[in-house]
Amino acid sequence: MANKHVVSFRLNGKEVDVAVEGRELLIHTLRERLLHTGPHIGCETSHCGACTVDMDGMSVKACTLLTVQCDGSSLLTVEGLEQGGVLHALQEAFHEQHGLQCGYCTPGMLTRAYRLLQENPNPSEEEIRYWISGNLCRCTGYQNIVKAVQAAAQKLAAQPA
């Protein structure tokens, strides 16, 4: 039996303690142990971005990050974007702008776009395309994803501080 490590981190605003093997990937901890199935397992090589989560203010690919590396961190998954039953402006915009088709890439796209808007509240189309370039979508052609991020940026800018 492998040695277990107790890892503590904040997940979507809640403290979590989980016992994992040292080799366990974050994506498996999130999906199988903590039942946060928003981040998807796609390529398992960090190329597709379906597993993207926000860790301590950075976008990371959960399929190539060991859970033990997250000890003491703050993690945000797509489930954490919604607050009190209210969708985040990005989630609303993806719906309104038809920024998804099959939806497989959507959780990673949303968390990556969230990080972009945290760092740059008014990105250009070129900047949006650059930021989401590590997240692959095989359905949409990206145009409506870009429109959704632009719409969310406008909606967030119009909200009172």
Side-chain angles (χ1 to χ4, degrees), residues 107-120:
M109 286 286 186
L110 284 166
T111 53
R112 183 66 177 146
Y114 172 82
R115 177 54 34 211
L116 164 61
L117 295 180
Q118 294 299 300
E119 295 188 24
N120 181 355

Side-chain angles (χ1 to χ4, degrees), residues 5-9 16-20 67-72:
H5 304 272
V6 176
V7 180
S8 300
F9 53 86
V16 172
D17 296 314
V18 62
V20 298
T67 303
V68 294
Q69 292 175 282
C70 301
D71 196 38

Side-chain angles (χ1 to χ4, degrees), residues 127-146:
E127 289 168 324
I128 294 168
R129 288 184 182 279
Y130 175 79
W131 270 74
I132 64 171
S133 65
N135 295 67
L136 302 179
C137 175
R138 296 175 189 230
C139 300
T140 68
Y142 300 95
Q143 190 57 39
N144 287 348
I145 293 171
V146 172

Side-chain angles (χ1 to χ4, degrees), residues 28-81:
H28 297 298
T29 302
L30 290 173
R31 291 182 60 81
E32 297 161 19
R33 295 184 188 278
L34 302 174
L35 304 178
H36 279 71
T37 56
H40 292 153
I41 299 171
C43 65
E44 295 188 274
T45 61
S46 80
H47 288 98
C48 76
C51 66
T52 303
V53 298
D54 200 76
M55 181 172 122
D56 296 331
M58 293 176 43
S59 293
V60 297
K61 309 276 179 84
C63 74
T64 57
L65 187 67
L66 298 172
T67 303
V68 294
Q69 292 175 282
C70 301
D71 196 38
S73 292
S74 181
L75 299 171
L76 178 73
T77 67
V78 69
E79 291 96 340
L81 293 178

Side-chain angles (χ1 to χ4, degrees), residues 83-99:
Q83 294 292 310
V86 178
L87 294 178
H88 188 277
L90 275 164
Q91 293 167 308
E92 289 179 348
F94 265 66
H95 172 74
E96 292 164 359
Q97 299 296 321
H98 308 288

